[in-house]
Amino acid sequence: MKLSQFSFNLPEEQIALYPHSVYHEIKDEKGKKQTVRVTRRDECRLMVLHRQSGTIDMFKQDKKKKPVKGDFLDFRNVLDYFDEGDTFIFNDTKVFPARLYGTKEKTDAKIEVFLLRELNAEMRLWDVLVEPARKIRIGNKLFFDDTSTMVAEVIDNTTSRGRTLRFLYDCPHDEFKRSLFALGETPLPRYIIDARDQHHDTKEDMEDFQCIFARNEGSVTAPASGLHFSREMLKRMEIRGINQAFITLHCGLGSFHNIEVEDLTKHKLDSEQMIIGAEACQIVNKTKTERKHICAVGTSVIKATETAVGTDGLLKEYDGWTNRFIFPPYDFGLADSMIANFYHPLSPLMMATAAFGGYDLVMEAYRLAVENGYMFGCYGDAMLIVND
């Protein structure tokens, strides 16, 4: 397929800058009114696509099972489409505070450093992006705190904005990581930071940008579809007998990079580290052999499972890297349902969703989403694709 086939007009006001929230007006001790935002992860809108029948559910139903226009499905309704013995596959990667601000030696120029991944723990080597890149050359030193304790030296160029940094910090590795991350900020996508018109994150951002089941540190962006799950929803799943399997794929920035070729077969995604353990394989494969439903929560899970699924349709253990780029047409080997967000135009995330749900059906869903005021992006509304 062609890149231009995934273009559509997305109004700015439909790009979510915060997770779904409710707002309360309270008075402080002096009687002054202030508005408080309270996150409600599982109350965003939900649209359900039935890929065999080609139908789309947007509204809740009355007692006669007729849609009630204006009464939109919310994310909690996801569980209405699953039964005991079905399995949800989650990505349990954990986001770390990857965005730092430092100064260049001698000139005191302000530099943004975005940590991508640690290359060598013993040598304190990190793969990073820098901005503005034109000011940063091999041999430059960057300072990240007022005491000049956290200092890094540029030792290599990797891409136009990429650099390899060696941190000059002599202490045990765990202490170094704690000190480094204490200086970092939540790696919110640039479109959120710019639209909010604020330079720094807030204390709520790291909590909002983290899945509640996150446990394996390594991502620089959240697996967005997992952000909708609340502890209450996970408990409801447990009560209903719906299984939970956890895999790890450390999400990088590749999905936010512009695709610069019209022919999608010529685009290469950045590699991302992934781990699928024996326990996840056991849960998922038991579900598969019992002909129950397997739901992949997000495009990162789809990418990981399609990397590790065998020719027999069963999930295999895996510890390595993947740069699998999924776009229509694509023959999926494992999951028969999927949860996704509504993503930006021309994004690999949108393409993977269209591959799973069918290009025409997903594009119609996107048209309806724009028309009906659904929210897009990492903090946007959710889509469930089922195989009926």
Side-chain angles (χ1 to χ4, degrees):
M1 296 196 79
K2 304 299 184 184
L3 175 65
S4 55
Q5 291 176 266
F6 295 91
S7 177
F8 65 94
N9 181 38
L10 175 59
E12 273 190 39
E13 62 271 18
Q14 285 181 243
I15 300 173
L17 304 183
Y18 295 92
H20 184 84
S21 306
V22 294
Y23 294 86
H24 298 291
E25 195 173 76
I26 63 173
K27 293 182 179 180
D28 60 19
E29 296 175 352
K30 297 180 180 179
K32 185 177 180 181
K33 291 182 179 180
Q34 54 181 276
T35 301
V36 177
R37 182 179 65 84
V38 180
T39 299
R40 292 284 186 264
R41 292 174 179 265
D42 56 11
E43 294 180 10
C44 70
R45 287 191 194 179
L46 175 71
M47 187 184 293
V48 182
L49 281 61
H50 302 263
R51 61 182 182 182
Q52 294 296 327
S53 65
T55 57
I56 296 175
D57 299 339
M58 294 174 58
F59 305 111
K60 296 178 182 177
Q61 297 178 344
D62 60 18
K63 293 181 180 179
K64 296 182 180 180
K65 294 191 174 182
K66 292 185 178 180
V68 181
K69 289 197 173 181
D71 189 8
F72 290 96
L73 293 168
D74 66 51
F75 190 73
R76 294 169 295 186
N77 294 118
V78 158
L79 300 187
D80 298 338
Y81 294 83
F82 296 91
D83 297 310
E84 182 179 356
D86 294 339
T87 292
F88 280 45
I89 308 177
F90 296 98
N91 183 2
D92 65 5
T93 186
K94 187 175 182 179
V95 178
F96 65 90
R99 181 175 281 117
L100 283 76
Y101 295 95
T103 57
K104 183 182 173 183
E105 66 173 341
K106 298 180 181 178
T107 67
D108 286 338
K110 301 297 182 183
I111 305 296
E112 179 181 307
V113 173
F114 197 98
L115 303 172
L116 296 178
R117 61 179 178 269
E118 190 172 35
L119 300 174
N120 186 300
E122 184 178 351
M123 298 181 65
R124 311 285 195 264
L125 296 182
W126 279 78
D127 185 16
V128 307
L129 298 176
V130 294
E131 188 69 39
R134 67 182 184 278
K135 294 184 177 181
I136 302 302
R137 299 176 179 176
I138 294 174
N140 289 158
K141 286 188 173 64
L142 301 174
F143 297 85
F144 294 96
D145 58 11
D146 295 335
T147 63
S148 299
T149 303
M150 187 65 70
V151 182
E153 180 183 11
V154 181
I155 66 170
D156 198 8
N157 299 324
T158 53
T159 61
S160 59
R161 293 175 54 222
R163 303 290 186 271
T164 300
L165 296 187
R166 179 174 61 215
F167 284 89
L168 310 175
Y169 197 93
D170 187 17
C171 68
H173 183 258
D174 289 347
E175 181 183 335
F176 161 70
K177 288 282 286 289
R178 283 195 300 271
S179 299
L180 180 64
F181 288 175
L183 296 170
E185 295 185 356
T186 310
L188 294 172
R190 177 51 62 184
Y191 71 84
I192 291 180
I193 293 288
D194 292 344
R196 286 187 187 179
D197 194 26
Q198 64 186 50
H199 183 64
H200 295 288
D201 63 350
T202 66
K203 63 181 181 180
E204 294 88 7
D205 281 328
M206 185 54 85
E207 182 177 349
D208 286 344
F209 204 53
Q210 198 80 268
C211 297
I212 60 169
F213 44 78
R215 59 188 176 193
N216 292 315
E217 188 176 83
S219 276
V220 296
T221 188
S225 301
L227 293 175
H228 301 299
F229 284 85
S230 62
R231 288 178 175 80
E232 291 76 15
M233 277 197 70
L234 294 183
K235 189 63 178 178
R236 285 172 57 204
M237 289 176 62
E238 183 182 334
I239 292 170
R240 291 191 182 198
I242 299 173
N243 304 307
Q244 301 169 24
F246 296 91
I247 61 95
T248 303
L249 184 140
H250 294 315
C251 303
L253 295 180
S255 296
F256 295 96
H257 294 161
N258 291 333
I259 297 177
E260 298 179 348
V261 291
E262 177 69 1
D263 182 355
L264 295 181
T265 63
K266 292 179 167 54
H267 179 66
K268 303 298 181 186
L269 274 183
D270 294 348
S271 293
E272 295 167 313
Q273 187 179 16
M274 56 171 278
I275 302 169
I276 297 179
E279 182 179 356
C281 291
Q282 182 180 6
I283 295 169
V284 170
N285 292 338
K286 183 175 185 292
T287 307
K288 185 89 169 182
T289 55
E290 292 177 352
R291 298 183 181 278
K292 297 288 187 176
H293 295 300
I294 297 172
C295 181
V297 180
T299 57
S300 66
V301 171
I302 283 291
K303 184 188 300 185
T305 55
E306 286 303 306
T307 299
V309 67
T311 55
D312 57 0
L314 299 178
L315 191 61
K316 312 299 182 185
E317 293 182 52
Y318 191 99
D319 187 348
W321 297 75
T322 181
N323 64 348
R324 186 167 295 248
F325 178 30
I326 297 175
F327 58 91
Y330 187 94
D331 186 17
F332 289 86
L334 187 73
D336 64 351
S337 54
M338 173 189 181
I339 294 172
N341 277 30
F342 288 92
Y343 303 110
H344 283 69
L346 308 177
S347 70
L349 306 175
M350 180 190 180
M351 294 167 190
T353 306
F356 193 89
Y359 175 80
D360 291 336
L361 183 60
V362 169
M363 293 306 292
E364 172 63 9
Y366 270 65
R367 185 191 67 78
L368 289 172
V370 171
E371 186 179 285
N372 288 274
Y374 283 68
M375 301 301 289
F376 286 69
C378 291
Y379 284 148
D381 291 318
M383 173 190 295
L384 170 65
I385 303 172
V386 293
N387 192 37
D388 60 14

